[in-house]
């Protein structure tokens, strides 16, 4: 059995021996993306399991081991990890955890320390934690991120974004229920096989795959009736994770809406671009600037493939990052970059511009940046685009789901009225009636 090894600071290291013996648990966020990206780690010899557990006990476990004023995404991720370790399903002496460290000024850089503290409290301090970061933060001899690995992860994000976008544009109108979901599964399987063989991440392969994916979705039989179009924005975890937003996407779909979630590539471009902006605003190394610029150019090239393939087959393509950035010029400063920063405001403007003017802005408890760039910018956005119909929803362990859904239904009632006025037709979807309010759990 692999020996436990610590660095000078007393941090438990993920060693080379552990790589072959240990199972790495990864928390779920965006299911389509993560089911593809996990194959990158498997290709490099890591044994990975994506945690897809659900239910109130996850937040309850989180509340037991971290302080209740912690950011809600951290509370859920830590709760999910400890819940899994205590489930008896994994050998706690042969299991490691993987968590992202953004490296920015926001608290997401420090979730890892909270996690270790929680593990200690739960009597699980023998479980090593791997930091997934691109900022040269914590290092482990048994885990490293290489350039080819980054290219494969980027490819995974590109495929995930396109599959999510197409699924969201096709599913609400499909004649035969399940056609769109079947295509998502078909392509997840194809890409899994390609990644296992070390393929699917080169420029030509990406462009070819994306074309074929868009072509497949364009063949699904649809009935394009008027539907309420809803955009979802917010802190990255609560925006995408079912566990974080009480399955918001499904709720909106069941309400008869077409949903649009801006992709993760936009967030990746934003994070890389911030490094360039930092050097422009505060100065810094020219070499670092050139290296980061190369990555930025690569990501923009990938974005180009996504736009081309989806537009070619008649879908609404994702917006170009450059355009999204331009939308917030003179609205909010580019220095506002903690958390989702100005991108959150920009995505709302972009959604309103592309016909998804009904917006749910998801906000986790404890998240200051999102309250500033999200809720705090609603009035300004409405003054720029009067069609914008935005509701900010708070997510925390005590917020009753029924109250969150009632507030969304009020927003949808306004949207339905507007849609019927503009099309002169009855909009699809159920009658929007609010359920009785529930008291917040403390
Ligand atoms: S973005 Fe918000 S939720 Fe995420 S770490 Fe920062 S404060 Fe916490």
């Amino acid at each position: 059995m692999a020996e436990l090894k610590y660095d000078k600071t007393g941090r438990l290291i993920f060693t080379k021996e552990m790589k072959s013996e240990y199972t790495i648990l990864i928390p779920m966020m965006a299911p389509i993306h993560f089911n593809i990206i996990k194959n990158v780690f498997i290709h490099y010899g890591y044994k990975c399991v994506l945690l897809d557990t659900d239910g109130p006990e996850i937040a309850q476990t989180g509340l037991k081991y971290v302080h209740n004023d912690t950011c809600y995404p951290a509370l859920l991720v830590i709760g999910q990890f400890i819940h899994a370790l205590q489930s008896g399903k994994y050998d706690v002496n042969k299991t490691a955890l993987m968590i992202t460290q953004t490296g920015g000024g926001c608290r997401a850089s420090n979730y890892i320390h909270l996690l270790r503290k929680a593990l200690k409290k739960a009597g699980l301090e023998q479980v090593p934690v791997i930091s997934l970061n691109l900022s040269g933060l914590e290092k482990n001899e048994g885990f490293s991120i290489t350039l080819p690995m980054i290219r494969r992860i980027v490819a995974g994000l590109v495929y995930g974004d396109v599959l999510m976008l197409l699924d969201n544009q096709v599913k609400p109108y499909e004649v035969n229920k399940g056609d769109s979901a079947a295509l998502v599964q078909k392509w997840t399987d194809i890409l899994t096989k390609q990644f296992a063989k070390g393929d699917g991440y080169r420029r030509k392969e990406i462009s070819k795959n994306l074309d074929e994916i868009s072509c497949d979705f364009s063949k699904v039989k649809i009935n394009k009736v008027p539907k309420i179009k809803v955009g979802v924005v917010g802190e990255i975890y609560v925006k995408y994770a079912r566990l974080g937003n009480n399955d918001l996407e499904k709720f909106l779909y069941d309400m008869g809406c077409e949903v649009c979630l801006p992709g993760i590539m936009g967030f990746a471009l934003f994070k890389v671009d911030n490094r360039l902006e930092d050097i422009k605003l505060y100065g810094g190394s020219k070499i670092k600037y050139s290296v980061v610029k190369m990555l930025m150019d690569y990501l923009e090239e990938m974005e180009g493939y996504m736009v081309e393939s989806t537009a070619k087959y008649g879908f609404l393509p994702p917006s170009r990052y450059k355009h999204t950035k331009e939308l917030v010029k003179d609205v909010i400063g580019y220095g506002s970059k903690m958390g989702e920063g100005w991108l959150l405001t920009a995505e709302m403007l972009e959604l309103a511009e592309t016909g998804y003017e009904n917006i749910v802005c998801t906000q986790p408890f404890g998240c200051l940046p999102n309250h500033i760039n999200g809720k705090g910018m609603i009035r300004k956005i409405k003054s720029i685009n009067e069609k914008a119909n935005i509701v900010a929803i708070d997510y925390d362990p005590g917020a009753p789901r029924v109250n969150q859904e009632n507030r969304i239904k009020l927003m949808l009632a306004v949207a339905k009225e507007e849609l019927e006025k503009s099309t002169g037709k009855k909009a699809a979807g159920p009658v929007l009636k609010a359920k009785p309010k529930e008291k917040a759990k403390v």
Side-chain angles (χ1 to χ4, degrees):
M1 203 172 100
E3 203 185 310
L4 297 186
K5 211 168 151 186
Y6 299 86
D7 74 0
K8 279 185 217 148
T9 63
R11 173 172 67 86
L12 179 60
I13 308 275
F14 183 77
T15 61
K16 283 183 186 150
E17 295 75 48
M18 287 174 179
K19 186 178 170 180
S20 53
E21 285 181 25
Y22 277 50
T23 299
I24 303 172
L25 304 184
I26 303 175
M28 176 59 92
M29 192 178 79
I32 298 179
H33 300 72
F34 278 34
N35 273 310
I36 297 171
I37 291 171
K38 78 163 189 250
N39 295 304
V40 178
F41 298 111
I42 293 171
H43 174 72
Y44 283 94
Y46 301 100
K47 283 191 257 170
C48 298
V49 172
L50 262 180
L51 292 178
D52 203 8
T53 41
D54 216 341
E57 59 277 15
I58 303 278
Q60 290 314 314
T61 309
L63 281 170
K64 205 166 156 194
Y65 295 103
V66 293
H67 198 275
N68 66 359
D69 67 4
T70 304
C71 304
Y72 190 46
L75 187 127
L76 288 177
V77 168
I78 294 170
Q80 194 175 38
F81 275 143
I82 296 188
H83 181 262
L85 292 169
Q86 292 177 337
S87 69
K89 211 170 153 191
Y90 307 97
D91 178 348
V92 293
N93 295 314
K94 281 188 179 176
T95 303
L97 311 176
M98 185 186 281
I99 191 166
T100 50
Q101 243 187 322
T102 57
C106 215
R107 285 178 271 180
S109 298
N110 298 307
Y111 285 180
I112 198 161
H113 307 296
L114 275 180
L115 173 57
R116 289 203 180 99
K117 210 171 149 196
L119 286 171
K120 196 170 177 190
K121 199 170 167 191
L124 294 161
E125 62 257 66
Q126 79 275 28
V127 177
V129 184
I130 303 167
S131 158
L132 184 66
N133 74 81
L134 288 179
S135 317
L137 293 165
E138 289 186 3
K139 293 194 175 84
N140 287 283
E141 24 178 90
F143 181 83
S144 54
I145 294 206
T146 57
L147 207 56
M149 198 173 185
I150 294 173
R151 282 185 68 190
R152 286 176 165 92
I153 292 175
V154 170
L157 290 181
V158 168
Y159 292 131
D161 272 4
V162 167
L163 284 169
M164 181 177 74
L165 176 140
L166 296 174
D167 184 42
N168 280 332
Q169 288 186 28
V170 170
K171 192 169 64 182
Y173 307 101
E174 63 190 2
V175 174
N176 304 311
K177 291 284 154 226
D179 276 1
S180 182
L183 280 181
V184 172
Q185 192 54 55
K186 172 190 159 181
W187 276 99
T188 305
D189 295 344
I190 292 175
L191 295 167
T192 298
K193 282 187 191 141
Q194 290 187 8
F195 276 37
K197 280 196 275 167
D199 295 331
Y201 73 99
R202 298 172 194 94
R203 287 175 167 87
K204 269 193 182 164
E205 293 165 342
I206 291 177
S207 169
K208 184 173 172 281
N209 278 337
L210 292 183
D211 259 13
E212 288 177 16
I213 292 172
S214 301
C215 178
D216 262 4
F217 274 88
S218 71
K219 288 181 193 154
V220 175
K221 209 168 156 201
I222 54 165
N223 178 21
K224 202 91 184 176
V225 289
K227 293 210 166 204
I228 302 165
K229 291 170 119 188
V230 183
V232 177
V233 295
E235 187 274 341
I236 190 159
Y237 184 83
V238 290
K239 174 178 163 185
Y240 295 112
R242 236 177 30 197
L243 182 61
N245 62 29
N246 289 327
D247 217 348
L248 175 61
E249 222 181 309
K250 181 167 181 302
F251 168 75
L252 290 169
Y253 174 73
D254 291 346
M255 286 286 110
C257 305
E258 178 189 327
V259 184
C260 177
L261 275 102
I264 301 184
M265 273 295 277
F267 184 74
L269 279 153
F270 165 75
K271 283 287 170 202
V272 174
D273 189 26
N274 280 340
R275 292 174 191 222
L276 298 176
E277 284 296 334
D278 275 352
I279 298 177
K280 282 188 217 157
L281 290 169
Y282 313 114
S285 142
K286 280 190 182 154
I287 301 169
K288 186 181 167 193
Y289 188 90
S290 323
V291 174
V292 180
K293 182 76 176 59
M294 267 165 58
L295 180 58
M296 187 75 194
D297 292 344
Y298 180 70
L299 293 181
E300 284 187 314
E301 189 187 338
M302 294 294 122
E303 186 187 52
Y305 295 142
M306 292 161 60
V307 172
E308 272 167 37
S309 66
T310 47
K312 195 177 2 177
Y313 288 93
F315 296 102
L316 181 71
S319 286
R320 286 273 192 177
Y321 174 77
K322 271 200 181 119
H323 174 69
T324 312
K325 188 174 178 182
E326 191 63 28
L327 286 175
V328 275
K329 196 168 171 238
D330 304 325
V331 176
I332 189 167
Y334 293 136
S336 175
K337 61 186 177 60
M338 295 304 144
E340 278 56 37
W342 59 258
L343 181 70
L344 183 42
T345 318
E347 283 184 341
M348 287 197 269
L349 285 166
E350 178 201 300
L351 283 166
E353 189 188 66
T354 49
Y356 296 89
E357 57 266 11
N358 310 298
I359 298 168
V360 182
C361 181
T362 60
Q363 319 232 110
F365 173 78
C367 180
L368 187 61
N370 275 256
H371 279 76
I372 293 168
N373 300 294
K375 202 177 195 167
M377 293 304 286
I378 293 178
R379 190 191 284 227
K380 181 82 181 166
I381 290 166
K382 283 188 176 168
S383 74
I384 297 168
N385 188 333
E386 57 174 24
K387 280 189 183 168
N389 173 28
I390 309 170
V391 63
I393 304 290
D394 290 328
Y395 290 89
D396 67 67
R401 181 177 188 154
V402 97
N403 296 1
Q404 292 165 339
E405 293 180 349
N406 279 346
R407 295 199 57 227
I408 298 171
K409 281 183 183 172
L410 284 176
M411 182 276 280
L412 293 179
V414 175
K416 196 169 184 185
E417 218 178 285
E418 286 302 312
L419 180 66
E420 290 177 349
K421 238 193 269 168
S422 67
T423 58
K425 289 182 186 167
K426 247 193 137 21
V431 182
L432 301 159
K433 270 192 193 151
K435 288 188 189 157
K437 248 182 155 184
E438 257 181 36
K439 270 191 187 162
K441 298 168 203 137
V442 196

